Amino acid sequence: MAADASHYPEDYRAIIHADFDAFYASVEQRDYPELIGKPVVVGGKSENRGVVASASYEARAFGISSAIPMSRAYRLCPQLVRKPPRFEVYRSVSNKVMDIFRSITPLVEPLSLDEAYLDVTRLETSEITPPLIAQELKKKVWAELSLTISVGVGTSKCVAKIASDMNKPDGITVVRPGTEREFLFPLPVQSIWGIGPKTTERLNSFGINTIEQLSKRDISWFESNFGSNSLSVRNMCFGEDPRPVVTHRERKSFSSETTLVDDSDDPEILREIVIRLSNDVGQSLSSRGISGKTVKLKLRSSDFITSTRQRSVLEPIQLSSEIADVAVDLLNHELYKKNSYRLVGVGVSGFGSLENSQDAMQLRFKGF
Ligand code: TTP
Ligand code: MG
Ligand code: MG
């Protein structure tokens, strides 16, 4: 569906759902460029009864998908390349993408490591429309992370989520206000959030295959088949889904840590790492308009002993340089031990009241 960029009628919400394409597998292809264009899966070894967590789109052409046994994946595609998962890397990419989303709106609801809802209703101006915001989002993610997301734009969460799946990979699907039925009706019933394989089978056995066929049933039929969910399922057939985008409850701390490629006892290297991590944490805080009073340094030595040192400052801080000043000082007090370290982390906690972040939220709305 073309990204028609004209304005939305008033009273409509503009919800974006964004999801990485073949998340784990794409991160592996990005970090090991020799895997680009190849059938790649991330998952456990077949001899350990491993399953596929994520399959590159090249692997999907062989019929390979998430959750199938690795042994079966190899039978479908003998030249398959398997990579073991690197959860730390995926978590760090996830934090970064959520920060990119939050640089556009604070109204971000992460659903899992690789996807989130954004409410961009308020961001609309004479020049900026929801489809343009979606395009901007894709561009930013590609520029900063060299990974593609697929994006759906709709007037509710359920429509946006179904839309983001329509043109994967690297897709953008806009369901304009008022065209929800046109979009949803031809789709199979299992596209609806909450309709799993068992319910699908039962509905199919009644001859109900498409959302249009389901939508034709009357409310009493829904009541006897869906119980307390009947109204929400019925409404979703028409694209109506009042669930708001909820930002997760306030976090108590923000941190960033890294495992060193080679263990190090070199003060210069360790200081440089602490400064880089302070920078990551500073960016997370700044993008949310939060400042904190406690800085924590985490160190894990080559013999796997983890220690933490923390210090509180009088005035809340947010800037990378201020965080780094404290974190580097904490590090300097450890260096006399001449230990070699394998992991370094920096965190900030001790946040003030909510008021500050709400101010920041309003500022960002105005300044977009
Ligand atoms: P998904 O977004 O469902 O899948 P995907 O990103 O690999 O592929 P696409 O969105 O393009 O269809 O899940 C995100 C990650 O979650 C996925 O990369 C690996 C992990 N995952 C599992 O570990 N097991 C699973 O069964 C599924 C579905 C996902
Ligand atoms: Mg995905
Ligand atoms: Mg996902």
Side-chain angles (χ1 to χ4, degrees):
M1 210 163 286
D4 176 352
S6 55
H7 284 87
Y8 273 36
E10 270 182 39
D11 303 336
Y12 277 101
R13 287 190 298 157
I15 311 291
I16 287 178
H17 179 259
D19 184 292
F20 274 119
D21 302 314
F23 181 41
Y24 295 1
S26 302
V27 172
E28 298 307 319
Q29 287 179 316
R30 178 192 73 172
D31 294 351
Y32 301 94
E34 67 275 17
L35 300 181
I36 293 172
K38 298 215 169 112
V40 176
V41 291
V42 172
K45 292 180 180 165
S46 354
E47 52 268 39
N48 299 341
R49 295 162 173 253
V51 293
V52 173
S54 175
S56 72
Y57 277 76
E58 295 84 356
R60 291 183 202 198
F62 292 87
I64 296 169
S65 60
S66 294
I68 72 165
M70 191 60 73
S71 50
R72 187 161 155 234
Y74 275 113
R75 281 199 298 277
L76 289 165
C77 173
Q79 73 270 37
L80 188 65
V81 182
R82 181 193 71 88
K83 282 284 189 184
R86 295 184 297 150
F87 295 112
E88 262 186 51
V89 178
Y90 311 143
R91 201 166 304 124
S92 137
V93 172
S94 177
N95 287 338
K96 285 182 185 145
V97 86
M98 297 303 165
D99 281 343
I100 295 173
F101 296 163
R102 288 191 193 96
S103 73
I104 290 187
T105 171
L107 299 177
V108 174
E109 179 179 343
L111 285 182
S112 69
L113 281 189
D114 94 322
E115 63 192 279
Y117 288 115
L118 289 75
D119 187 331
V120 299
T121 312
R122 282 283 154 75
L123 295 183
E124 198 168 9
T125 67
S126 52
E127 285 95 43
I128 301 163
T129 61
L132 290 176
I133 296 168
Q135 277 168 3
E136 192 53 32
L137 203 60
K138 283 175 63 63
K139 263 195 233 156
K140 263 189 152 174
V141 171
W142 176 253
E144 291 184 30
L145 299 177
S146 303
L147 291 168
T148 61
I149 52 172
S150 289
V151 178
V153 187
T155 51
S156 66
K157 278 185 172 180
C158 80
V159 172
K161 182 152 167 76
I162 296 172
S164 76
D165 225 23
M166 294 300 290
N167 286 307
K168 265 184 171 288
D170 203 12
I172 182 160
T173 305
V174 178
V175 182
R176 298 220 23 106
T179 67
E180 290 82 2
R181 292 179 194 202
E182 212 175 293
F183 168 72
L184 292 171
F185 276 7
L187 300 177
V189 284
Q190 59 267 38
S191 303
I192 290 185
W193 185 80
I195 297 192
K198 276 199 184 139
T199 312
T200 303
E201 216 175 285
R202 206 179 75 235
L203 292 172
N204 292 351
S205 75
F206 298 151
I208 302 171
N209 299 303
T210 65
I211 294 181
E212 178 166 25
Q213 288 166 336
L214 183 60
S215 76
K216 295 274 184 338
R217 299 293 167 130
D218 60 26
I219 190 70
S220 59
W221 181 91
F222 272 93
E223 271 160 14
S224 50
N225 283 281
F226 289 98
S228 60
N229 293 322
S230 55
L231 203 59
S232 66
V233 175
R234 186 166 188 266
N235 286 341
M236 281 196 231
C237 292
F238 299 98
E240 288 158 18
D241 174 8
R243 290 175 300 156
V245 171
V246 284
T247 54
H248 278 189
R249 70 197 143 74
E250 290 297 304
R251 282 170 57 171
K252 294 218 162 56
S253 70
F254 283 90
S255 61
S256 180
E257 60 181 48
T258 186
T259 303
L260 280 58
V261 181
D262 296 305
D263 293 6
S264 176
D265 58 3
D266 181 332
E268 280 319 303
I269 292 178
L270 293 169
R271 279 192 202 104
E272 217 170 275
I273 293 171
V274 166
I275 290 168
R276 180 165 58 77
L277 296 172
S278 302
N279 209 20
D280 287 350
V281 177
Q283 280 178 9
S284 296
L285 295 185
S286 306
S287 70
R288 293 170 178 80
I290 306 173
S291 15
K293 282 189 176 174
T294 305
V295 177
K296 186 154 110 179
L297 176 74
K298 175 174 166 183
L299 295 168
R300 183 171 298 148
S301 60
S302 300
D303 43 7
F304 281 86
I305 294 169
T306 306
S307 60
T308 58
R309 291 281 172 268
Q310 64 179 51
R311 181 181 302 157
S312 293
V313 293
L314 288 174
E315 290 296 318
I317 55 176
Q318 176 187 77
L319 294 178
S320 304
S321 57
E322 295 172 319
I323 299 166
D325 281 349
V326 181
V328 167
D329 200 44
L330 289 169
L331 173 71
N332 287 340
H333 281 83
E334 296 299 306
L335 290 173
Y336 76 92
K337 294 177 184 164
K338 301 216 177 326
N339 273 341
S340 181
Y341 293 105
R342 66 184 319 270
L343 178 143
V344 181
V346 171
V348 172
S349 59
F351 305 132
S353 68
L354 268 172
E355 275 166 49
N356 289 342
S357 56
Q358 301 246 325
D359 285 351
M361 189 184 286
Q362 281 176 4
L363 278 179
R364 222 163 319 113
F365 268 133
K366 286 179 199 142
F368 182 81

